[in-house]
Structures are given as structure tokens and as C-alpha cells.
Amino acid sequence: GLGRLVWFEPIWRPIAKMSSYRKEKDEDEEMTNPMKFLDKGAVLQESRIFDASTIDSNACAEVINKLLYLKSRGSVLTTTEATKVFFGITKLFQSKDVRLRRLVYLALKELPSSADEVIIVTSSLMKDMVSNDDLYRANAIRVLCGITDTAMLAQIERYLQQAIVDREPFVASAALVSGCRLAKNSLEIVKRWVNEVQQVAMDKNGRASGMVQYHALELLQRIKQNDRLAMTRLVTTLSKSNVKSSLAQTLLVRYTSKVVQDYIQSGSTSSSELAALVDFLESSLRHKSDMVIFEAARAICKMRIAAGTESNPVATRILPPAVTVLQMFLSSPRATVRFAAARSLSELAIIAPGAVAPCNIDLAALISDSNRSVATMAITTLLKTGTESGIDRLLNQIQNFLGDIGDEFRVVVIEAIRGLCLKYPAKHRALLQFLATALREEGSFEYKKSIVDTMMAVMEKIPQALDIVLCIFCEFIEDCEYTNLSNRILYVLGKEGVNTQFPSKFVRYIYNRVVLEGAPVRGAAVNALAQFAAKVPSLRRSILPLSERGMFDADDEVRERATMLLDQLKKSGMSEEDGEATEVMKRYHFKASFMEQKLLDYVKSGNTAQRFDFASAASAAATAAATMPVAVKDEKDDEGMSHGGDNSSAQAAPSLSKSQYEEMLSAVPELASFGPLLASSSSPVDLTEGEAEYVVNVVKHFFANFIVLQFNVKNTLEEMVLEDVAVRMDGTDANLRMAATIPAARIGYNQPGICFVAYRVRGMNPKGAALHLPGSSLECSLTFSVKEVDPATGEESEEGMEDEYQLEPVELTIKDFVIPSLVADFDVAWNSLNGAETKEVFDLQSMQTINAAVAAVKEHLGMQAAEGSDKPSASATHHTLKLYGLYVGQVAVMVKAEMVIDQRKGGVKLRLTARSESEPVRTLLVSLIS
């Protein structure tokens, strides 16, 4: 696009000579800013000089300089102050001093003005527009276009059209740049200048300067950017003409590549016009200007990147010469050129590492580049293109380099290493050793956090790396200065360390944290020790004495946590034969208000001799016949301490994690035979209003051959208690068969409960020949027996009355089976499924914009957008939406939705590509659009 253009020669002359002095004998001279301590009030007082009968050019210029300096520093003038200054400046048009006149122009553009004030100065500016002085004409055009509105623009339109074809480049460029500015709000008026602008851009008379041609091309693009056919004709004509300016040629290359991409995305790859444009791009690689050559190479690389892993003959044919050009730029004496070339190759390496591989020798030479940005970009590119056999050599080269760069560059390198480790799992030992060495070096929190994140990602994706990563973590927390990282690592040790072959080796490191660290870390260490004692019976007797130290800790929370955990451990048994203490560190999910009510009931009962059973009250949701406690999500914060809270919303139940749902469902005997839980819907769906007497929402759980609908019901009537609460489902679907209906025994006031309805699905197996999934709306109603309750005494009526409460229908659609999920690197995951894809092209006639099409496709498929691809620019004419999900939580499915505005038929043309290891899954997903 059009960059910022500086049209005034340096005008910021110092008011007074900068003073220099020596503070001490050996100190260097220090320059002072004479405007540093300017006061707005004092400057406004000085501005009265504008009203003097005799204009002092130097004094007025000095005051305007001060006003502009205050404006640049953020000072704001009130309406009265701005009006007074504006009118004062307009009086300076009487001066013939050139320097002062240029400062007047600049001040009029920068200072705020109202429509009434603009009218006052318009006559003076229009007089300058027809002046014989080119300097006055050009500056008057820029100022007038900057302060005028659409209504006044018609009065000066004729002058602007004449200025566009003026022989003086300074004046023509001023008019064209002003046109670019006006096109944002007055495009229809600017469109009327297209003949004059096109005449200058084509330079048929051979008189236009390079800068004028550059500005004319930019304005033409703004006029025609929404007309694909007009843009195609423009770039086709200009590519065959003589474009003298390197800047204009660079813009032309950029616009040409955009048109070529539109051709490719619409499927028109065999037209003669496309061939001519591609030849122009290829010929631009041999231009005499480095700027044009680089822009052409970058445009070709972007075309290849946009094509992804698909076979694109256009991009593939012209890619090798573009890579060769960038390879030559890697040895340029200018650091900016080296960095630009390395960055373009780095972007290309994500999609086509093989195409960048010939540049590896040149990139390796840049590792020792004096410019750290260039060296960092070279390293990240090498990490993307490196082969498995060359990883060790590459790591040796990087090792010394990391110590010489800042942490912001080191974080970039670590992110690249993460991708390399996931790409070559067999080399995880060497890469983890490199990361361990980096972790021991000095660095900021962000740098250390990036290393820890990378190791955790590797541990999750490569099970063989678990023991190595945990050992590295143990050594790191011995000398870790960041509390947040220590807490996080201790949590991982407690969770994953119990699953290793020799868990006892981690206990010493954890216990050291109990002895040596601050309170937040001590609390996290006590939790981790309790996990080992609970999950590894053979270590229980050894760990209990170690944990007892926490009972005498100076911090209240650490002390109380240790006391509670030890109490639970001792209850679960002290011998090695007692098995796992599954209740230790169990997270209870309940509403604080609900637990408060339970405690009040306990106190009112008068039976305080019997201990309050906290565990049974909090885990009542584990059975279908008991009430469901509403939980405030108990998160572990960065300090390793957990906090409870109250949730006053009227929701029936919160969204829990998969493990929590699995624990709850496994406790229901009727559902125990369904097998492991594969996935659950991301959040409950409300079936009633939040203010209704019975608040109900539904969560969908997916098993291998079953769907379980969990209905969370909350009774908000104080005078009523519900018994035998069930959900009756109506409606038929050929792919569903009722398997079980499980009611809730009793739901009191302000107490949620759970009902279940289970269906057997005809065909859910992703490895089968085809999928037979439901796609219907099921009517449902809540059935129950209601009894009246006296709020004062709590007495219930003996007999209940059968009642029914209508609920919103439950929608069961195909997209429910694809759970939206995040993916670390979409492109890597996409490339790993190369070949396992299904494509189809659609015409979305009802969609008029790319944004509308993106929103509709995302909503229809119900998947997670990757890399922010669901947010195209407002003026986009083509876009690629990337979506990711897991079919019933086990089979990855990815979608690329390539969209382009159809200029001929209207609407949006969509090419949908789905990739998954399961052909039925990707076929079914594509069928959702049709």
C-alpha cells in the first residue's frame, strides 16, 4: 500500500542553539531539548503574536513549531483554544515568507478545526491552488483535501482533476496522494477522476515521473479494488507497458500476484491472461531493481504458501527461480535484504521445506551474522528445513549462538525447536538435551516458560519422553527463581510422576521444595507428595513422615493443606496392600451456597456429636439418584494454591472436564457397561429460561456406540420438592434406539439434580464403511411428582401430584459428533494427513461477503478455527478458513474452506477440503455443506 510520504524538506529548525557542557571532568557532552519543558498556557500566550499588525516571520515560525511540538507530545487544545489559534494562523497568509507559509500549511492540517473555520481559510487555499508557485499549489491541494468535507469537495474537484495531469511532478503527486486519502470516505467522487489517473499511470506521453506513476497506480487500485475484472485488465495492460518507476513496478507486481491468486482459487488455471501475468511475475525476477526482484520472489512464495500441499502447477513452475533469487539475497551486504530473504524462506519452509532445502548452506552461514535478527531468522528456517540426520549438527551450531542473543530472539528459536521435535519424534532425546542445557542458562521468565511449555508438549505427544522430561524438571526446580514455573512443574510431577517405572526417584526433589522454598511452592510440593502417597502404595509409609513437616509450617494454607491430606491418607490405610487412596486430592465441585445450606441443616439438626460428612455431601453428584452439587470451577492459580468461590448464576450445572464427567458417569450402574467416555459436548445447552421455576440444561456424552444425554435440573421453588424426576423423549430417528432412562430420586429447593437418557446409535464407528448418525430434533418434557413443603418447618405433604413441564427440543445433529479442538500447528497436522482428503466445490449464492461466508461455514460445521482464520479483513475478496475438530474425541478431522467472491454470478464460491484418516468422517463433514 501507500507508505507515508514526506513532502516538506526539513523545517524543524532549532529555536535556539543546543547548549553543550561538561558535568564532570570525564563526562561527554550532553545535548538538551529546548522544548522539553514547554507549557501549553505559555505557548498560547505567545500565539497572540499572530494578531500583530506587522508579521514577524521568525517569531511566528517559532510559535508554530512549539504548537506542533505540543501536539506531537499529546497535548490537546480545547475547542476555544483551537479556534483562536486557527484564526490567528489564517492571518499569516499575508506573509510572503516561504518557510512560514509551509509551516502554516502544516499547522492547518494538524490542528483540529470545525466546518465553519474551514470555510474561512478555503478562499486563501483555493487562491494558492491556482498560484504560479508550484510549492504553494501542491501544499494547498494537500491541506484543502485534508480539512474539507464531501460537500465542499465538489467545488474543488475541477482543480484536482487538472492537477493530476499537471506537468509539475510535485503538483501531480500532491493531487494523487490527496485522492488516495479522499477515497476512504468519498470514493464515488474520486472514481470520476479515473480517466485522468489512468492517463498518468499509463504514461502515454512519456512525461510522468516515476513517483507520479507510483501514486497514480496506487489510486487506480483503490478505485478498482472491488472490481476483479477491472483489476485484471489494469494489471494486464500495465504489465505490457513501460513502467519507469521501481516503486510503481513493485506495486504492479503485488497487484498482479493478487489477481493470479484469484485466478487459481477460482479454478481458471488455463487461460491465456493468467499465463501472461505469470510470465510477467517471472520476468520481474530479472528486473534491475532489487526491490522489484524481491517483491516478485516474495509474491511467488506467497502463491505457493496459499496453495498449501496441493499440486499447483502455476506456483510450482515459477517457484525454483524465486527461491534462487532469495538465496542470492542471503549473501547481500545489507542486513535488511538478508533478513527479508530469510523471512520469506522461513514462511515458505512451513509448506514446502524441500524447496528451501537448497538454501541451507547459505542459511547456515548466517548463524554467525552480526545482525541478531538475521541470525535468528536463519536458525528458525533451518529448523524447519532440517532433516533428521542433520539435527545433531544443527543443534551444535545453535548452542553457542543462544548465549549471544536477547530473550525475545531465544523464544523464537525455542518455538521452532518444538515443531522440529514433534516432526522427528525419534530425535527427542537430542532435542530434549539441548532444551535442558538452555533451561540451566540465565534467562527471563518468558524464555524459561517457553522451554517448559515445549517440554510439556513433547511429553504429551511422545510418551517415551515422559521420564526424561520429568528428570529435567526435577533438576530445574532445584534452582528455579520463578515461583509460577516451580508450582506448575510440581503439579506435573505429582500428576505424571506416579505413572513412571521408578516414581520414588522424584520424591527427594519434591521434598526439598517443602524444606527450602516459599509458601506457594511449599503448598504445591505438599500436594505433589500426597499424590505419590495416594497413587503409589509402596511409597506411602515413606512419604507420610515427610508430609508431616507441613503440619508445622508457618503458613496457614500450607499447614491446613498438609493436615487435611495426611488425614485422608491415614484413613485410606497405611499398608502397601491397601491399594490406591483414590479419595486423596479429589476435587469436589459444589456451590458454596449449597454447602452452606448443608452445614446449616447439620447445625439445626442438633446431632452435632456425629461428625459432618463433607465428602459424602460434596460427591453426591456421583450417583444418579442423588442431588447434583453445582460447582464453582476450582482452578489452581499460578501460585499453586486453590481457591473456592460462589457462583450466583441460575445455571443448572457447570461445564466440567472430561475426567470429571467420566468419574460421574462411571458411578451410574446403568451406564457402566457402555465402555469408556470418548467425548462430551463443550458446554451445556439451556432448555429453559434462566428465570424459570425449573432450570434445565443438557450435556451430550459420546461412547463407542451410545449417546448419553445428561439433563441437569434445578428446582427454584422454595415451597416444592420434586421426586422421581425424569425426562421423557418424543420423536423418532432411524439411527437412534432408546437404551435407558435414569431418573433423579429427589430434588429439593435450590438443589440441582441429574437425569439421564441413553440412546444406542446405529453407526458411529469411524473405521466402518459408512456412518449412520442422527440428524433430528427430539421433543422432550420433564416429568416428576411434586410435593408441597412448609418453608418454616420443612414439613412435606404426604402425597405428591404428578406433573409435567415442557422443555425446548434437544437438537442432535451430525456436527455434535465433531468436538471443536485446538491444534498446536495446523499446517504440520494438515501435511501429516496428505492424501487422505475429500474435496467439493459449492456456490454460496446467498452470501455477499467473505465475512458472512466464513461465519456461516464455521457455524454450520461447528469446528474450532485455527490461527485466527475466522477473522478475515472487511474488504477481503478471497480467504482461507482453517478448522479443526475431533470426531467423538478420537479421530482428528481438518477442513480448509477456500472462498472467493464470484464477480460474474455474485455470491461466494467455496472449495471445501476435508482431511481425516477416516474416509466416512470426512465425507460426512463435506456433506454437511451440501
Side-chain angles (χ1 to χ4, degrees):
L2 189 64
R4 295 188 62 183
L5 300 174
V6 181
W7 289 102
F8 294 97
E9 65 185 53
I11 59 176
W12 200 272
R13 297 179 181 174
I15 303 170
K17 291 184 177 180
M18 297 289 188
S19 62
S20 60
Y21 57 92
R22 294 186 181 272
K23 290 183 178 179
E24 299 289 345
K25 183 177 179 180
D26 297 327
E27 287 186 358
D28 296 327
E29 292 185 350
E30 180 181 344
M31 302 300 291
T32 60
N33 181 2
M35 295 190 181
K36 183 176 182 180
F37 301 106
L38 282 181
D39 178 69
K40 186 180 78 170
V43 175
L44 290 175
Q45 287 290 334
E46 293 180 29
S47 67
R48 293 180 178 180
I49 196 173
F50 299 154
D51 300 323
S53 57
T54 303
I55 298 176
D56 185 341
S57 299
N58 290 331
C60 291
E62 180 180 335
V63 174
I64 294 178
N65 268 323
K66 291 180 179 180
L67 287 168
L68 292 173
Y69 178 81
L70 290 173
K71 173 75 165 50
S72 69
R73 303 299 293 178
S75 294
V76 179
L77 299 180
T78 65
T79 304
T80 304
E81 293 170 345
T83 301
K84 187 175 181 180
V85 170
F86 189 88
F87 278 114
I89 291 176
T90 59
K91 296 177 182 179
L92 301 182
F93 274 100
Q94 303 172 34
S95 173
K96 301 300 181 180
D97 186 276
V98 175
R99 173 171 169 258
L100 179 60
R101 178 64 64 88
R102 293 163 66 198
L103 277 172
V104 168
Y105 289 136
L106 185 58
L108 291 176
K109 282 206 311 179
E110 295 296 326
L111 296 176
S113 57
S114 64
D116 295 335
E117 296 164 359
V118 169
I119 294 175
I120 302 300
V121 78
T122 298
S123 59
S124 297
L125 291 172
M126 292 184 68
K127 182 179 178 181
D128 284 353
M129 283 180 64
V130 295
S131 167
N132 293 326
D133 192 322
D134 293 333
L135 179 66
Y136 286 1
R137 291 170 60 202
N139 287 323
I141 288 171
R142 281 195 296 276
V143 175
L144 198 52
C145 291
I147 64 177
T148 190
D149 56 13
T150 305
M152 295 181 60
L153 186 59
Q155 301 178 24
I156 61 172
E157 184 180 2
R158 178 170 60 88
Y159 298 106
L160 293 174
Q161 288 177 295
Q162 292 174 356
I164 289 173
V165 294
D166 196 275
R167 294 193 176 192
E168 175 55 46
F170 191 32
V171 176
S173 282
L176 291 167
V177 173
S178 298
C180 292
R181 182 172 182 174
L182 293 170
K184 297 178 182 178
N185 300 316
S186 308
L187 183 60
E188 293 304 317
I189 294 178
V190 177
K191 282 183 176 180
R192 297 201 289 260
W193 311 348
V194 65
N195 291 332
E196 290 80 4
V197 178
Q198 199 152 337
Q199 177 183 341
V200 175
M202 300 298 179
D203 191 22
K204 296 180 179 178
N205 300 325
R207 296 184 310 207
S209 70
M211 187 61 73
V212 172
Q213 199 173 24
Y214 165 66
H215 292 145
L217 181 56
E218 170 66 21
L219 183 54
L220 272 180
Q221 189 272 339
R222 298 198 181 197
I223 293 173
K224 301 183 177 184
Q225 61 182 347
N226 295 322
D227 188 343
R228 178 184 166 186
L229 184 59
M231 278 299 299
T232 303
R233 289 174 179 170
L234 174 65
V235 298
T236 302
T237 303
L238 286 174
S239 63
K240 298 176 183 178
S241 64
N242 178 28
V243 180
K244 296 182 292 186
S245 168
S246 297
L247 287 171
Q249 184 82 1
T250 302
L251 272 186
L252 182 57
V253 168
R254 189 174 299 176
Y255 300 152
T256 301
S257 68
K258 187 175 182 297
V259 172
V260 170
Q261 287 188 41
D262 289 342
Y263 266 111
I264 294 173
Q265 290 186 355
S266 63
S268 307
T269 58
S270 58
S271 67
S272 58
E273 290 180 348
L274 175 61
L277 294 176
V278 171
D279 290 340
F280 168 72
L281 287 177
E282 191 172 9
S283 66
S284 296
L285 294 172
R286 299 183 292 273
H287 197 271
K288 61 183 180 181
S289 170
D290 287 349
M291 179 170 57
V292 176
I293 295 173
F294 173 74
E295 185 65 34
R298 190 180 69 145
I300 292 169
C301 290
K302 284 192 172 184
M303 288 167 52
R304 178 64 185 88
I305 293 170
T309 56
E310 300 172 11
S311 176
N312 186 335
V314 175
T316 303
R317 177 172 65 86
I318 59 178
L319 183 61
V323 173
T324 302
V325 166
L326 293 175
Q327 185 177 8
M328 293 171 57
F329 282 156
L330 292 175
S331 57
S332 171
R334 290 180 291 173
T336 52
V337 175
R338 297 196 301 273
F339 177 81
R343 184 172 61 178
S344 295
L345 290 172
S346 179
E347 294 171 353
L348 179 62
I350 298 174
I351 293 298
V356 183
C359 305
N360 282 356
I361 296 177
D362 300 88
L363 288 167
L366 293 179
I367 293 179
S368 57
D369 194 279
S370 58
N371 187 294
R372 299 292 86 186
S373 298
V374 175
T376 303
M377 191 58 65
I379 285 175
T380 56
T381 308
L382 285 170
L383 290 172
K384 295 171 185 175
T385 61
T387 60
E388 188 170 358
S389 59
I391 288 179
D392 294 326
R393 177 178 52 81
L394 183 58
L395 292 179
N396 290 333
Q397 289 179 291
I398 298 173
Q399 189 72 59
N400 297 329
F401 167 78
L402 279 182
D404 300 331
I405 60 176
D407 284 347
E408 65 275 14
F409 295 117
R410 292 201 276 184
V411 169
V412 175
V413 174
I414 296 301
E415 291 294 330
I417 289 177
R418 178 191 299 191
L420 187 66
C421 197
L422 298 178
K423 184 178 180 180
Y424 299 115
K427 302 296 292 184
H428 71 273
R429 290 182 178 274
L431 290 164
L432 287 175
Q433 185 60 43
F434 175 85
L435 293 173
T437 303
L439 198 58
R440 288 192 292 268
E441 297 174 352
E442 294 294 328
S444 65
F445 171 76
E446 291 299 329
Y447 173 54
K448 296 296 181 72
K449 180 178 178 292
S450 67
I451 299 175
V452 171
D453 289 343
T454 298
M455 287 187 168
M456 287 186 178
V458 172
M459 180 179 68
E460 182 180 348
K461 298 292 184 181
I462 307 174
Q464 303 92 317
L466 174 62
D467 199 87
I468 301 174
V469 172
L470 294 183
C471 289
I472 295 172
F473 282 166
C474 285
E475 294 180 6
F476 173 59
I477 60 175
E478 287 287 307
D479 192 28
C480 178
E481 58 184 314
Y482 301 110
T483 300
N484 293 351
L485 288 180
S486 294
N487 291 342
R488 191 172 170 201
I489 289 172
L490 285 168
Y491 174 78
V492 172
L493 285 173
K495 181 181 177 182
E496 303 293 346
V498 297
N499 301 321
T500 59
Q501 187 176 2
F502 303 105
S504 58
K505 63 183 178 181
F506 304 115
V507 175
R508 175 173 64 86
Y509 296 97
I510 297 174
Y511 176 68
N512 286 345
R513 310 281 62 78
V514 179
V515 178
L516 303 174
E517 298 288 354
V521 179
R522 294 201 304 272
V526 166
N527 280 3
L529 283 176
Q531 290 283 11
F532 277 83
K535 301 293 180 64
V536 187
S538 61
L539 298 178
R540 194 169 302 157
R541 285 187 176 275
S542 303
I543 292 177
L544 284 176
L546 301 178
S547 300
E548 288 176 354
R549 182 186 179 92
M551 298 175 64
F552 306 99
D553 196 275
D555 184 79
D556 292 343
E557 183 163 352
V558 176
R559 189 169 58 248
E560 291 168 4
R561 182 174 296 195
T563 303
M564 182 190 73
L565 294 173
L566 281 169
D567 182 63
Q568 292 183 354
L569 283 169
K570 290 175 180 178
K571 283 182 180 179
S572 64
M574 292 286 292
S575 66
E576 298 181 7
E577 290 77 18
D578 287 329
E580 292 189 7
T582 55
E583 295 301 314
V584 177
M585 295 296 293
K586 181 176 180 180
R587 292 197 176 276
Y588 299 113
H589 291 264
F590 55 83
K591 227 180 181 183
S593 58
F594 173 65
M595 185 56 65
E596 180 186 14
Q597 185 62 44
K598 285 289 185 182
L599 288 168
L600 289 173
D601 293 342
Y602 169 73
V603 173
K604 289 179 181 179
S605 68
N607 188 18
T608 55
Q610 183 179 357
R611 185 177 179 180
F612 177 74
D613 193 347
F614 175 86
S616 80
S619 61
T623 60
T627 59
M628 168 72 175
V630 177
V632 175
K633 194 172 182 182
D634 186 7
E635 298 283 357
K636 180 179 287 288
D637 67 359
D638 288 340
E639 301 299 324
M641 302 296 187
S642 60
H643 303 275
D646 186 18
N647 181 4
S648 59
S649 65
Q651 64 179 1
S655 178
L656 306 180
S657 66
K658 180 185 174 184
S659 60
Q660 292 163 345
Y661 279 133
E662 195 166 19
E663 180 183 359
M664 181 182 67
L665 295 171
S666 62
V668 182
E670 294 87 343
L671 306 179
S673 61
F674 288 4
L677 176 66
L678 300 179
S680 299
S681 54
S682 56
S683 59
V685 178
D686 292 331
L687 301 180
T688 62
E689 298 291 336
E691 298 78 18
E693 53 265 40
Y694 309 118
V695 181
V696 184
N697 61 40
V698 63
V699 179
K700 303 165 188 175
H701 303 292
F702 301 94
F703 295 82
N705 297 301
F706 297 89
I707 297 177
V708 175
L709 303 178
Q710 172 189 327
F711 295 91
N712 303 308
V713 185
K714 182 179 179 180
N715 174 23
T716 64
L717 298 178
E718 188 174 2
E719 302 85 3
M720 302 292 180
V721 63
L722 310 182
E723 294 183 346
D724 297 325
V725 184
V727 175
R728 186 178 68 193
M729 307 292 296
D730 296 318
T732 58
D733 191 298
N735 295 322
L736 290 177
R737 189 178 66 180
M738 183 75 71
T741 300
I742 306 168
R746 177 186 175 87
I747 303 178
Y749 164 62
N750 209 29
Q751 294 181 358
I754 297 180
C755 313
F756 293 103
V757 176
Y759 284 99
R760 177 182 285 275
V761 183
R762 179 184 170 194
M764 284 180 61
N765 186 3
K767 298 181 180 179
L771 295 175
H772 301 282
L773 304 179
S776 60
S777 178
L778 302 176
E779 299 289 335
C780 58
S781 58
L782 193 69
T783 63
F784 49 86
S785 175
V786 60
K787 290 183 179 181
E788 294 186 357
V789 179
D790 187 341
T793 62
E795 294 183 359
E796 301 178 6
S797 59
E798 295 183 359
E799 295 185 1
M801 180 178 64
E802 299 296 326
D803 199 357
E804 183 173 347
Y805 188 82
Q806 192 66 35
L807 305 176
E808 292 292 329
V810 175
E811 302 288 340
L812 275 178
T813 60
I814 295 174
K815 73 175 185 180
D816 287 328
F817 292 79
V818 181
I819 309 300
S821 304
L822 296 172
V823 58
D825 193 321
F826 183 90
D827 293 322
V828 171
W830 179 267
N831 295 339
S832 67
L833 296 174
N834 188 18
E837 66 179 24
T838 301
K839 290 184 182 180
E840 195 161 341
V841 178
F842 303 94
D843 287 321
L844 309 181
Q845 298 292 339
S846 60
M847 304 295 169
Q848 300 303 316
T849 65
I850 292 294
N851 278 277
V854 166
V857 171
K858 182 185 175 185
E859 172 66 22
H860 208 64
L861 297 181
M863 299 171 68
Q864 178 70 42
E867 302 174 358
S869 59
D870 58 336
K871 297 176 182 178
S873 62
S875 59
T877 57
H878 60 83
H879 184 71
T880 300
L881 173 65
K882 301 176 181 179
L883 300 172
Y884 186 85
L886 294 173
Y887 174 76
V888 291
Q890 56 179 345
V891 178
V893 57
M894 309 176 71
V895 168
K896 271 190 179 180
E898 297 167 289
M899 310 173 194
V900 61
I901 297 291
D902 193 332
Q903 300 288 353
R904 291 173 299 205
K905 300 180 182 178
V908 175
K909 186 177 287 293
L910 167 67
R911 179 167 66 180
L912 195 74
T913 306
R915 288 190 177 183
S916 175
E917 294 176 352
S918 170
E919 182 179 358
V921 169
R922 60 179 188 261
T923 302
L924 188 69
L925 205 63
V926 172
S927 70
L928 279 178
I929 300 295
S930 58

